[in-house]
Amino acid sequence: MNVQVFATRGERTRAHIVSVAAGLFWRRNFHGVAVDEVASAAEVNKATIYRYFADKRDLALAVVKQHGAATLEMVFQSSAEHNAAPEARLAGIYYHIYSVHAELCEEEGDVHGCPIVGLALELGQDMPEVRVEAARIFDAVEAHMREIAADAIASGHAAGDPKMLGRTLTQLLHGAFTSARLSSEPERILDAGYASLSLIGFPETDILDPKAN
Amino acid sequence: MNVQVFATRGERTRAHIVSVAAGLFWRRNFHGVAVDEVASAAEVNKATIYRYFADKRDLALAVVKQHGAATLEMVFQSSAEHNAAPEARLAGIYYHIYSVHAELCEEEGDVHGCPIVGLALELGQDMPEVRVEAARIFDAVEAHMREIAADAIASGHAAGDPKMLGRTLTQLLHGAFTSARLSSEPERILDAGYASLSLIGFPETDILDPKAN
Amino acid sequence: MNVQVFATRGERTRAHIVSVAAGLFWRRNFHGVAVDEVASAAEVNKATIYRYFADKRDLALAVVKQHGAATLEMVFQSSAEHNAAPEARLAGIYYHIYSVHAELCEEEGDVHGCPIVGLALELGQDMPEVRVEAARIFDAVEAHMREIAADAIASGHAAGDPKMLGRTLTQLLHGAFTSARLSSEPERILDAGYASLSLIGFPETDILDPKAN
Amino acid sequence: MNVQVFATRGERTRAHIVSVAAGLFWRRNFHGVAVDEVASAAEVNKATIYRYFADKRDLALAVVKQHGAATLEMVFQSSAEHNAAPEARLAGIYYHIYSVHAELCEEEGDVHGCPIVGLALELGQDMPEVRVEAARIFDAVEAHMREIAADAIASGHAAGDPKMLGRTLTQLLHGAFTSARLSSEPERILDAGYASLSLIGFPETDILDPKAN
DNA sequence: GATGAATGAGACTTCATTCAT
DNA sequence: GATGAATGAAGTCTCATTCAT
């Protein structure tokens, strides 16, 4: 896992703003957060934000890009590196996501779903770049899922077309976020995880059991 | 199928406003639509809206309730009545949703996803009622899916727990909306439809083929 | 002299805002006056201003139009109606302008020049409509001047081309404003007045003497 | 004609900034130009500007002073040196001004008028020094005009008081700038030039004909 | 001494919402 | 009861100016 190091002070400030904004947008939506709040949460002046971003929407785009990259890095790549078996990789992904959401839900009583999708849905209409960027990120997710599917098929656990299976796994992931958020039940993420494992030929596993991990 | 009839003029006005608002919120998001626009699109005075709804968010809640009821009625109930076989019922649901989205996408070049989820995600944070109402609606959806699953299991096509299968089918539906919206490709709804049919034991069907319908 | 009466409440509000803004812009320039100040000086809410004007510049355009019309009405038309002789008409115009400026200068110690020209110079670059509207107004002024010139020529007092003479009289009027404003001496307006009278064949008159009027 | 030579590097930098700012303020007004733009146009760091000038208005004051001095030098002094006859001196002044404006108007489609007056009108209210400095400069202009008038009277071409005639010539020059700027017609400067020549006793001349020069 | 980074204060503008006819 | 008019409270953004390296 690469950790990006920022040479200049400006780059650090910019990245800091993006990451603070990501947290706020995730928790309270794009329209629910004022630029003033981002500024004070990031402990910078509002004008500093506008030094690095053309406007508020541009900040959201940066959030999608940076957060998307970081998440792909953290969740998918690392799970691919550490776990050879496809079922373990899939479980790693779901377990990671579940943990984050369960923890935050405990603290705040709400499930916030996928921040990238959240921003894309809220801004997609008047800022297509955000939607396109989100689509690009989930294309990458789907590629990961496709590899998992291909491995499972190759090892004889699953059958069918890896392309379609990868897509279904991805859609199920989307559904996991949405359904957990609507119901405020993070466990629904685990449900989707088990269903996904089943789809690649591993039903009846308890690999995702929170108590076991 | 029940058709609700509005006796008084006020009830008709109210329903008209809700339905106009539903269309606008769907296409351009809650925050993207000003109350003024709702008023002029519905051809009523803005103050009239405030006669029927406490505030804009209350209007959104009404949209979720009314639209949710109508959709359940239209998509799910009717498909249950007309089609005995579970695969046909599932296909009916997906085909209906696909048609609406494909048509709108032709006209506007964008896939708008599920309006109920859209509002719930946008307002859920500062208006939990909307999220709760949306959750209730999708509980009903899940109940439908569970019945379909149960029928498929009963007829020997599918195996497993109808409860879990119903949930997976529901999550896949959520994923269908999200993924179609992000990619602007309505066909992704069909992908999820086929995956769902496969999950209940009907792979390799072309029951959803647009050309066949 | 026509006094315009505004039927509706909105029209009155709008006209009131314009006239308050005209005064402020005249005294402190377009950029020196905040919309907040216009609002509080007019005793309306800021949002009311934006109900009637697209933006601040649009308000300035309205000022130019309304003030231009009013001034032409008040200064030029009325002087034309009441005074048959060209020299009297010219003197009437200058005397009126001088009085206004002298009075205001006494109160505030500054000569503010022509408000229309002031706005046109300040906004002309990024809002050509203002400059064009100002040009239109001064075309009308020049037409008045041309008539005065023509009458003076017809009566044998002046010689030359009424068109060129009208233009020169107009330019001298512009110069009167500018030079009085730069020097903070309203009397320079009278200087230009005497020079103008001389140009139409009436040197050595004391028709503009403040003490005589 | 004196050419000022700057010994130190700092003096050169300062003069360079002033001259760049002069051009920008002239073309786009004081408020239309950000300090950032001056800095990047002058290819210096913004903080460098604040090393030489207390604030933006102070820069404007320097522009008025430097540009005023340079213009007086260039336009008036030189015309006085090279042309003995008053009508030739006057024509030289007008022709010079006209040429500059006509050329710029070809390039940019706009007549920018007198930069000194422009700044003075825009800043006069909250920075009297600028207005006072502009007044001082135009007192010098008037002195030149008075000399021309005196010479014309001495040679029998014109009659009247040289003081008043000088003032009128100066006001007509102001009017030339204003009227050309409002109408976007540089030729109006020539109109004023001919009128001025006529005022000092040289009607019917074509000394200003662009084709002849 | 020069430069990128940061700031404070205030500008304009837009809502959702309520008033008064 | 319906409608045009009005409002308050924010919100986004910009700019001149100063800091720290």
Side-chain angles (χ1 to χ4, degrees):
Chain A
M1 181 161 63
N2 301 321
V3 172
Q4 196 163 352
V5 179
F6 296 106
T8 72
R9 187 179 172 201
E11 277 166 338
R12 274 196 307 277
T13 304
R14 193 194 134 99
H16 173 63
I17 291 168
V18 170
S19 110
V20 166
L24 289 172
F25 289 160
W26 189 26
R27 271 155 242 252
R28 307 220 317 277
N29 287 352
F30 180 75
H31 282 102
V33 177
V35 176
D36 276 296
E37 297 180 75
V38 177
S40 66
E43 293 183 297
V44 298
N45 188 278
K46 206 185 346 180
T48 300
I49 294 180
Y50 283 93
R51 179 178 165 73
Y52 293 102
F53 306 96
D55 52 26
K56 193 190 176 189
R57 288 149 63 221
D58 189 42
L59 172 58
L61 181 57
V63 165
V64 169
K65 282 182 173 162
Q66 177 165 316
H67 195 96
T71 300
L72 278 181
E73 190 89 18
M74 212 188 312
V75 179
F76 292 89
Q77 307 268 43
S78 80
S79 113
E81 280 168 21
H82 300 332
N83 305 289
E87 74 276 18
R89 274 141 65 199
L90 196 52
I93 291 165
Y94 267 97
Y95 190 71
H96 183 111
I97 292 172
Y98 168 71
S99 303
V100 171
H101 281 79
E103 190 178 343
L104 205 66
C105 183
E106 192 123 310
E107 284 169 22
E108 309 189 4
D110 250 323
V111 174
H112 296 96
C114 175
I116 292 168
V117 169
L119 283 172
L121 297 197
E122 203 169 347
L123 286 174
Q125 237 62 38
D126 65 33
M127 216 203 178
E129 299 102 302
V130 173
R131 206 210 64 228
V132 167
E133 182 61 27
R136 197 193 326 275
I137 289 166
F138 276 94
D139 282 348
V141 168
E142 194 170 310
H144 280 287
M145 291 300 194
R146 202 157 45 228
E147 268 186 50
I148 289 173
D151 287 0
I153 290 167
S155 66
H157 288 94
D161 177 13
K163 216 174 124 194
M164 291 316 283
L165 191 46
R167 168 145 304 173
T168 300
L169 291 174
T170 309
Q171 291 184 323
L172 211 42
L173 179 62
H174 279 309
F177 280 121
T178 304
S179 118
R181 189 165 173 195
L182 285 188
S183 62
S184 281
E185 295 172 6
E187 292 72 29
R188 300 226 177 175
I189 293 170
L190 294 181
D191 292 344
Y194 283 117
S196 296
L197 287 167
S198 176
L199 275 170
I200 64 164
F202 295 86
E204 312 287 324
T205 174
D206 64 351
I207 197 174
L208 280 172
D209 186 347
K211 280 164 270 171
N213 277 270
Chain B
M1 179 161 64
N2 303 320
V3 171
Q4 196 162 353
V5 178
F6 297 107
T8 71
R9 180 152 179 247
E11 277 167 339
R12 272 199 308 277
T13 305
R14 192 193 135 98
H16 174 62
I17 292 169
V18 169
S19 121
V20 166
L24 290 172
F25 290 161
W26 190 26
R27 271 156 242 251
R28 308 221 317 277
N29 287 351
F30 179 76
H31 282 101
V33 177
V35 176
D36 275 290
E37 293 181 78
V38 178
S40 67
E43 294 181 299
V44 300
N45 187 277
K46 198 171 19 166
T48 304
I49 293 181
Y50 282 92
R51 180 165 290 288
Y52 290 103
F53 306 95
D55 54 25
K56 194 190 176 190
R57 287 150 61 217
D58 189 41
L59 172 58
L61 182 57
V63 165
V64 169
K65 282 181 173 159
Q66 176 167 315
H67 194 96
T71 300
L72 278 181
E73 190 87 20
M74 210 187 313
V75 179
F76 292 90
Q77 307 268 44
S78 80
S79 108
E81 281 167 22
H82 300 331
N83 303 287
E87 73 276 18
R89 273 142 65 199
L90 196 50
I93 292 165
Y94 267 97
Y95 191 70
H96 182 108
I97 292 171
Y98 168 71
S99 302
V100 170
H101 281 78
E103 189 178 346
L104 206 65
C105 184
E106 285 253 316
E107 284 170 22
E108 311 187 3
D110 252 321
V111 173
H112 297 293
C114 175
I116 293 168
V117 169
L119 282 172
L121 297 196
E122 205 170 344
L123 288 174
Q125 240 61 39
D126 62 37
M127 211 198 182
E129 299 101 302
V130 173
R131 206 211 64 229
V132 168
E133 181 61 28
R136 194 191 329 274
I137 288 165
F138 275 93
D139 282 348
V141 167
E142 195 169 309
H144 279 286
M145 290 297 194
R146 201 156 47 227
E147 266 185 52
I148 288 172
D151 287 1
I153 290 167
S155 66
H157 287 95
D161 177 12
K163 212 175 129 196
M164 291 315 283
L165 190 48
R167 168 145 305 174
T168 300
L169 291 174
T170 308
Q171 291 184 321
L172 211 40
L173 179 62
H174 279 309
F177 279 122
T178 304
S179 122
R181 189 166 172 193
L182 286 188
S183 62
S184 282
E185 295 173 5
E187 292 71 31
R188 300 225 176 175
I189 293 171
L190 294 181
D191 292 344
Y194 283 117
S196 297
L197 286 168
S198 176
L199 276 170
I200 63 164
F202 294 86
E204 313 285 325
T205 174
D206 65 351
I207 198 174
L208 280 172
D209 187 347
K211 279 164 271 173
N213 277 270
Chain C
M1 180 162 63
N2 301 322
V3 171
Q4 195 162 352
V5 178
F6 296 106
T8 74
R9 187 178 172 203
E11 277 167 337
R12 274 196 306 278
T13 304
R14 192 193 135 99
H16 174 61
I17 292 168
V18 169
S19 111
V20 166
L24 290 172
F25 289 160
W26 189 27
R27 272 156 242 252
R28 308 218 319 276
N29 285 352
F30 179 75
H31 283 101
V33 177
V35 176
D36 274 296
E37 297 180 75
V38 178
S40 66
E43 294 182 298
V44 298
N45 187 278
K46 210 183 346 176
T48 300
I49 293 179
Y50 284 92
R51 179 179 165 73
Y52 294 102
F53 307 96
D55 53 26
K56 193 190 177 189
R57 288 149 64 223
D58 189 42
L59 172 58
L61 181 57
V63 165
V64 169
K65 282 181 172 163
Q66 177 166 315
H67 194 97
T71 301
L72 278 180
E73 189 89 18
M74 210 188 314
V75 179
F76 292 89
Q77 307 269 43
S78 79
S79 110
E81 280 167 22
H82 300 331
N83 304 288
E87 74 275 17
R89 273 142 63 198
L90 196 52
I93 291 166
Y94 268 98
Y95 190 71
H96 182 111
I97 293 172
Y98 168 71
S99 303
V100 170
H101 281 78
E103 189 179 345
L104 204 66
C105 182
E106 192 123 312
E107 284 169 23
E108 310 187 5
D110 250 321
V111 174
H112 295 96
C114 174
I116 292 169
V117 169
L119 283 172
L121 297 197
E122 203 170 347
L123 287 174
Q125 237 62 38
D126 64 32
M127 216 202 176
E129 299 103 301
V130 172
R131 205 210 66 229
V132 168
E133 181 63 27
R136 196 193 326 274
I137 289 165
F138 276 93
D139 282 349
V141 168
E142 194 169 310
H144 279 287
M145 291 298 196
R146 203 157 45 227
E147 266 186 52
I148 289 173
D151 287 0
I153 290 168
S155 67
H157 287 95
D161 177 14
K163 215 174 125 193
M164 291 315 284
L165 191 46
R167 168 146 302 173
T168 300
L169 291 174
T170 308
Q171 291 184 320
L172 211 42
L173 179 61
H174 279 308
F177 281 121
T178 303
S179 120
R181 188 163 173 197
L182 286 188
S183 62
S184 282
E185 294 172 6
E187 292 72 31
R188 300 223 177 177
I189 294 170
L190 293 181
D191 292 345
Y194 283 118
S196 297
L197 287 168
S198 175
L199 274 170
I200 64 165
F202 295 86
E204 313 285 324
T205 173
D206 64 352
I207 197 173
L208 281 173
D209 186 348
K211 279 165 272 173
N213 275 271
Chain D
M1 178 162 63
N2 301 321
V3 171
Q4 197 161 352
V5 179
F6 297 107
T8 73
R9 182 154 176 245
E11 276 168 338
R12 272 198 308 277
T13 304
R14 190 192 137 98
H16 174 62
I17 292 169
V18 169
S19 120
V20 166
L24 290 172
F25 291 161
W26 189 27
R27 270 157 243 252
R28 308 220 318 277
N29 286 353
F30 179 75
H31 282 101
V33 177
V35 176
D36 276 289
E37 294 181 78
V38 178
S40 67
E43 294 181 301
V44 300
N45 186 278
K46 198 174 14 170
T48 305
I49 293 180
Y50 283 93
R51 181 163 291 288
Y52 290 103
F53 306 95
D55 53 24
K56 194 189 176 190
R57 287 151 59 215
D58 188 42
L59 172 58
L61 181 57
V63 165
V64 169
K65 282 182 173 161
Q66 177 167 316
H67 194 98
T71 301
L72 278 180
E73 190 89 18
M74 211 188 313
V75 180
F76 292 89
Q77 307 268 44
S78 79
S79 109
E81 280 167 21
H82 300 331
N83 304 288
E87 75 276 17
R89 273 143 63 198
L90 196 51
I93 291 166
Y94 268 97
Y95 190 71
H96 182 109
I97 292 172
Y98 168 71
S99 302
V100 171
H101 281 78
E103 189 178 346
L104 206 66
C105 184
E106 285 252 315
E107 284 170 23
E108 312 187 4
D110 251 322
V111 173
H112 297 291
C114 175
I116 293 169
V117 169
L119 283 172
L121 297 197
E122 204 170 344
L123 288 174
Q125 240 62 38
D126 62 35
M127 210 197 184
E129 299 101 301
V130 173
R131 205 211 66 229
V132 168
E133 181 62 27
R136 195 190 329 272
I137 289 165
F138 276 93
D139 282 349
V141 168
E142 194 169 310
H144 279 286
M145 291 297 194
R146 201 157 45 229
E147 266 185 51
I148 289 172
D151 287 0
I153 291 168
S155 68
H157 287 97
D161 177 13
K163 213 174 126 196
M164 291 314 285
L165 191 46
R167 168 145 302 174
T168 300
L169 290 175
T170 308
Q171 290 184 322
L172 210 42
L173 179 61
H174 279 308
F177 280 123
T178 303
S179 119
R181 190 166 172 193
L182 286 188
S183 62
S184 281
E185 295 172 5
E187 292 72 30
R188 300 223 176 175
I189 294 171
L190 293 182
D191 292 344
Y194 283 117
S196 297
L197 287 167
S198 176
L199 276 170
I200 64 165
F202 294 86
E204 313 283 326
T205 175
D206 64 352
I207 197 173
L208 280 173
D209 186 348
K211 279 165 273 175
N213 276 272

